[in-house]
Amino acid sequence: MAFLDWALHPTELWAAFWYVMRHAPPDEKTNKLQVSGDMRRCYDFLEMTSRSFAAVIQELNPRLRDGICLFYLILRGLDTVEDDMTIPGAKKRQVLETFHEVLYVKGWTFKDSGPDEKDAMLLAEFDVVINEFMQLPDDYQEVIADITKRMGAGMAKYTRARVDTLEDYNEYCHYVAGLVGHGLSRLFAVSRLEDKTVGEKLELANSMGLFLQKTNITRDINEDVLDGRCFWPKAIWTKYAASEEELISKRGRDKGIEALNEMCVNALEHIPDVMEYLNQIHEPSVFKFCAIPQAMAIATISLCYNNSNVLDGNVKIRKGEALALISQSTTIDSVKRIFYRYLVQLEKKNDPSNPFYAQVHKIVDKAKKDIANTLPGGAPVDFSKEYALIALFFVSAIFFFYSYLAN
């Protein structure tokens, strides 16, 4: 089945081949960065906590690479504390609210993580992150510490507050993801790799983060409910179920799918801001760093829409598909083509009997027209059926060839 999956998607197979050829193993990549001491250990932590982010961060312009690596690790440490359900509430809030202060405390570590916390080692050796953070230029430190302070305060608030209204949902997503967009945009500006206006148009940066976060929250509903939490706003899910557990149960599946589709619509509304933000990014490594997660998000939300499997477990795009998106997300025009492709897929899944048919049609139609009007040559041509037929021909030929040899 794995072979058949790759064979039916030849462009993904080609992307996987080139990805393997171009990307060295983690140890070799760290050696090529020519870093030593604590910074080398920081890149090791980056590989441990997120292989996907590690790849795009390590390809950033050297003026940004170390700063964004440390920014990521600091926020990952903060997020690890927030996610750890074994830490008592009062202690967790105290750590979250003061995390920005410990960035200037040499030797600070945190060793009270739960036994199953996969990123506990990062916090246990957090002093190496602090040592390197304190060597960053002052303007980098200022941005990172400010975002850490604001995010920690927001996370602390939501250890007690629930995501009830749509306003709560937007606020929570702002704290945990929109602020990341703020911080990155400000770092792009202070590095002088991007225009200073990138660090000033923070509403667009916020939407970049919200699109990613809302996609993840939508996709992760089954896992979150089974863990005893739910980030879908109560204002949405209570229209379809009496409890979070009922939301993902087989009994009320039709209502569960309606709730899922409303969540997808909420995320899709950020697409115009995402396109506008990416259009202002010009430095190639920064553009790729920003574009790859957005390409993954549009692919994921397209997969989730009207898909009952989301309520049964965690759905993911194919590995080959992800590698193809990484290789394709190099220019604004290529990213527009990616978005257009997945918008077409959404359009095909949008059944007129769906209560959200009109809303999805309006969002998708506008986004497609905006993309077509700004692409050289107009709307992209979809060759997916032709590729599938060619792939099917080759798979059949291989099958018959081996059958012939066997006989």
Side-chain angles (χ1 to χ4, degrees):
M1 287 303 296
F3 170 76
L4 185 62
D5 188 45
W6 283 103
L8 289 174
H9 302 91
T11 56
E12 295 174 15
L13 182 61
W14 184 250
F17 171 76
W18 278 111
Y19 185 87
V20 171
M21 294 295 291
R22 291 182 60 228
H23 290 79
D27 289 346
E28 188 178 328
K29 282 193 287 186
T30 305
N31 289 335
K32 286 182 178 178
L33 292 175
Q34 298 181 333
V35 293
S36 59
D38 287 342
M39 198 63 223
R40 183 183 179 88
R41 185 59 175 155
C42 288
Y43 278 107
D44 288 341
F45 278 127
L46 186 63
E47 288 283 353
M48 289 180 211
T49 54
S50 177
R51 294 289 293 275
S52 56
F53 268 109
V56 288
I57 289 175
Q58 288 169 2
E59 292 182 3
L60 277 168
N61 187 293
R63 278 156 60 180
L64 271 172
R65 188 170 55 217
D66 288 355
I68 288 183
C69 171
L70 293 167
F71 185 38
Y72 175 83
L73 291 178
I74 288 166
L75 298 189
R76 186 68 178 223
L78 193 67
D79 186 60
T80 301
V81 173
E82 185 211 21
D83 280 348
D84 193 336
M85 304 305 285
T86 68
I87 303 173
K91 182 175 183 179
K92 179 183 288 191
R93 284 188 288 276
Q94 185 269 330
V95 174
L96 293 173
E97 289 170 345
T98 60
F99 206 80
H100 64 288
E101 297 173 2
V102 304
L103 299 181
Y104 296 96
V105 179
K106 279 188 169 289
W108 185 89
T109 59
F110 184 82
K111 299 181 179 178
D112 294 329
S113 298
D116 299 324
E117 189 51 61
K118 63 185 180 69
D119 293 328
M121 191 181 295
L122 169 63
L123 288 169
E125 296 182 39
F126 204 74
D127 53 327
V128 302
V129 178
I130 292 171
N131 291 342
E132 290 299 327
F133 167 77
M134 293 177 69
Q135 294 183 48
L136 288 174
D138 289 346
D139 46 2
Y140 284 56
Q141 289 187 38
E142 182 183 340
V143 171
I144 294 171
D146 176 55
I147 297 299
T148 304
K149 178 180 180 179
R150 293 160 63 191
M151 185 179 290
M155 287 179 168
K157 173 181 176 178
Y158 278 94
T159 60
R160 287 183 284 200
R162 287 179 59 88
V163 180
D164 290 332
T165 66
L166 291 177
E167 289 75 17
D168 294 337
Y169 184 46
N170 285 327
E171 182 182 65
Y172 174 76
C173 291
H174 165 72
Y175 282 135
V176 300
L179 284 173
V180 180
H182 282 208
L184 289 171
S185 298
R186 289 165 62 187
L187 288 173
F188 298 157
V190 298
S191 73
R192 294 185 174 84
L193 290 172
E194 296 293 344
D195 191 83
K196 66 178 182 179
T197 57
V198 171
E200 296 168 352
K201 296 179 180 178
L202 296 181
E203 279 303 310
L204 296 179
N206 190 62
S207 267
M208 291 278 285
L210 264 60
F211 185 50
L212 301 181
Q213 187 66 21
K214 288 181 176 184
T215 296
N216 290 339
I217 287 174
T218 301
R219 180 197 62 195
D220 294 343
I221 182 61
N222 179 275
E223 180 184 337
D224 285 338
V225 170
L226 294 180
D227 284 345
R229 58 189 180 183
C230 180
F231 296 105
W232 284 22
K234 196 173 180 181
I236 287 180
W237 69 258
T238 52
K239 291 189 284 186
Y240 307 97
S243 67
E244 292 100 325
E245 291 75 19
E246 185 181 322
L247 192 63
I248 63 171
S249 72
K250 297 282 188 183
R251 282 182 324 222
R253 185 46 50 98
D254 289 345
K255 288 295 182 183
I257 293 174
E258 287 182 23
L260 168 65
N261 289 342
E262 185 168 351
M263 290 293 295
C264 291
V265 169
N266 188 280
L268 289 168
E269 289 171 347
H270 294 285
I271 288 177
D273 282 353
V274 169
M275 290 287 101
E276 187 176 348
Y277 182 93
L278 291 175
N279 209 47
Q280 68 180 344
I281 301 297
H282 301 293
E283 203 280 334
S285 71
V286 173
F287 181 85
K288 195 166 184 178
F289 174 79
C290 295
I292 289 172
Q294 303 297 327
M296 300 287 190
I298 187 62
T300 301
I301 206 70
S302 173
L303 177 64
C304 290
Y305 183 68
N306 216 28
N307 184 352
S308 63
N309 292 331
V310 175
L311 304 176
D312 295 324
N314 196 299
V315 301
K316 291 183 178 180
I317 61 175
R318 299 181 302 275
K319 285 186 179 179
E321 186 176 6
L323 294 176
L325 291 172
I326 289 171
S327 67
Q328 293 165 7
S329 301
T330 54
T331 67
I332 187 62
D333 285 349
S334 64
V335 172
K336 285 178 180 179
R337 291 186 182 96
I338 289 169
F339 268 71
Y340 194 95
R341 184 166 74 240
Y342 286 106
L343 289 168
V344 169
Q345 289 186 19
L346 269 165
E347 198 171 40
K348 291 176 180 177
K349 295 172 71 176
N350 195 25
D351 192 316
S353 64
N354 179 350
F356 296 96
Y357 173 82
Q359 285 177 263
V360 172
H361 176 75
K362 182 179 178 181
I363 293 170
V364 169
D365 189 56
K366 183 180 185 308
K368 283 176 59 185
K369 285 177 180 176
D370 288 345
I371 290 171
N373 289 337
T374 56
L375 270 179
V381 179
D382 182 12
F383 291 109
S384 57
K385 289 183 180 178
E386 287 81 356
Y387 285 141
L389 287 171
I390 293 169
L392 189 60
F393 170 79
F394 278 109
V395 171
S396 301
I398 292 169
F399 175 78
F400 285 117
F401 176 71
Y402 276 106
S403 297
Y404 174 78
L405 290 179
N407 294 327

